[in-house]
Amino acid sequence: MSPVWYAAKAGVRRGRTELRQTFTTGQDVFGYVLWTVLLIVPLFLVRDDPLKGAGISTGTFMLPSMLGMTLAFTGMMTTAQLLAAEREDGTLLRAKAVPHGMVGHLVGKIIMVSGTALVSMALPFAVGVFLVDGVARQGGGPLLTLLWVVPLGLLATLPMGAVIGSLVDSPRTIGLLMLPVMGLVVISGIYFPLSKLPEWLQTVGQIFPVYWLGLGLRAALLPAEAVAAEIGGSWRHLETAGVLGAWTVAGLLLAPSVLRRMARRESGAAMADRHRKAMQRVG
């Protein structure tokens, strides 16, 4: 076995270990429960409000949309936050000191973030299907859409999260990025159909993967008549695959070079300087 493959295999084991830890740590479990509550509360409030022209309720529309938002949010922001935190505490520096340690470290993070994304989607889905009608009841072909939308969504968001985490200086910067991310959610058709927004906002929303993940999950989980609420009255499978595929290619092309650049810049002196600045802010 080549050294790189051995490092990747070690990364898989590390990712599984981190998943077990996060599912048995009280603080992390509370985070999953809190996220589920934050999604379910607005769903509960609008569960019976009819969505004009679509034959479904607003809550039914929102449930798969919020699952797509969760997948995008976890893939990008959680990955970025983890990398930024591990730069600051020296974890990446230690990984760099091991032969092919960065490969194993990043593979472990991919396994860990993918697992947490799926759990973060599964919990609100398990609760939401009892609150709203018409979700995941058509079976057959539509549900098979999940088999390519979810993996492609992870591939589209994880590399970009790694890029963001490599470029920011500290985890506190990630917190500031939450504001534009939440603005993006508003114009991505998560809480109401994108077709209700002005055309220029529709164009902006369709550039980013959040909208397309929501659309793909709605296509998989909602009844056929719900397509009336979508732009052009179509689920646009080809466009969904195309945009998510484009983000995947862009991320896979950009992430390796950015990560290599970040690894080269990591040193004990750089970590000590970040620690000194953090202590100055605390003081």
Side-chain angles (χ1 to χ4, degrees), residues 165-234:
S166 301
L167 295 177
V168 300
D169 294 329
S170 72
R172 289 166 291 280
T173 307
I174 301 295
L176 296 177
L177 292 176
M178 294 296 182
L179 295 176
V181 168
M182 296 310 298
L184 177 62
V185 168
V186 172
I187 63 170
S188 292
I190 300 302
Y191 297 105
F192 50 84
L194 191 65
S195 57
K196 293 185 177 182
L197 292 176
E199 288 189 7
W200 70 274
L201 279 178
Q202 292 182 28
T203 301
V204 174
Q206 292 176 81
I207 294 174
F208 299 95
V210 180
Y211 165 74
W212 297 100
L213 281 170
L215 178 63
L217 288 170
R218 289 194 296 273
L221 299 175
L222 295 185
E225 59 269 21
V227 75
E230 304 296 341
I231 295 175
S234 170

Side-chain angles (χ1 to χ4, degrees), residues 5-275:
W5 278 110
Y6 183 83
K9 186 177 179 180
V12 172
R13 291 196 299 268
R14 177 188 180 122
R16 291 174 178 173
T17 300
E18 290 183 348
L19 275 177
R20 286 196 299 269
Q21 290 175 344
T22 190
F23 296 147
T24 55
T25 301
Q27 184 177 354
D28 292 344
V29 172
F30 175 77
Y32 294 125
V33 174
L34 179 61
W35 179 253
T36 300
V37 171
L38 291 175
L39 294 185
I40 291 301
V41 167
L43 191 70
F44 177 80
L45 295 176
V46 299
R47 66 190 187 282
D48 296 324
D49 294 349
L51 188 63
K52 186 177 179 181
I56 59 174
S57 69
T58 302
T60 302
F61 173 88
M62 283 173 54
L63 178 57
S65 302
M66 290 191 297
L67 298 181
M69 176 193 70
T70 298
L71 183 61
F73 189 85
T74 306
M76 283 193 289
M77 302 313 294
T78 300
T79 304
Q81 190 171 28
L82 286 173
L83 283 177
E86 290 175 347
R87 285 183 68 189
E88 190 169 69
D89 67 15
T91 300
L92 291 183
L93 182 61
R94 292 189 292 272
K96 177 186 174 183
V98 178
H100 305 292
M102 288 295 294
V103 173
H105 185 79
L106 291 174
V107 169
K109 282 294 166 282
I110 290 171
I111 298 295
M112 191 265 189
V113 174
S114 298
T116 56
L118 294 176
V119 171
S120 297
M121 293 173 61
L123 291 177
F125 176 72
V127 178
V129 291
F130 294 103
L131 293 179
V132 298
D133 296 323
V135 176
R137 294 186 179 180
Q138 66 274 39
L143 286 177
L144 293 178
T145 305
L146 293 173
L147 297 180
W148 63 268
V149 169
V150 172
L152 189 57
L154 285 170
L155 286 173
T157 55
L158 281 168
M160 298 311 298
V163 170
I164 295 171
S166 301
L167 295 177
V168 300
D169 294 329
S170 72
R172 289 166 291 280
T173 307
I174 301 295
L176 296 177
L177 292 176
M178 294 296 182
L179 295 176
V181 168
M182 296 310 298
L184 177 62
V185 168
V186 172
I187 63 170
S188 292
I190 300 302
Y191 297 105
F192 50 84
L194 191 65
S195 57
K196 293 185 177 182
L197 292 176
E199 288 189 7
W200 70 274
L201 279 178
Q202 292 182 28
T203 301
V204 174
Q206 292 176 81
I207 294 174
F208 299 95
V210 180
Y211 165 74
W212 297 100
L213 281 170
L215 178 63
L217 288 170
R218 289 194 296 273
L221 299 175
L222 295 185
E225 59 269 21
V227 75
E230 304 296 341
I231 295 175
S234 170
W235 293 124
R236 299 195 290 172
H237 291 305
L238 289 178
E239 291 89 338
T240 300
V243 174
L244 292 179
W247 275 89
T248 298
V249 172
L252 293 177
L253 289 176
L254 185 60
S257 61
V258 174
L259 288 170
R260 283 194 298 267
R261 178 174 174 268
M262 177 199 67
R264 286 195 301 267
R265 295 175 59 186
E266 281 301 295
S267 65
M271 189 185 73
D273 184 58
R274 287 194 298 268
H275 181 71

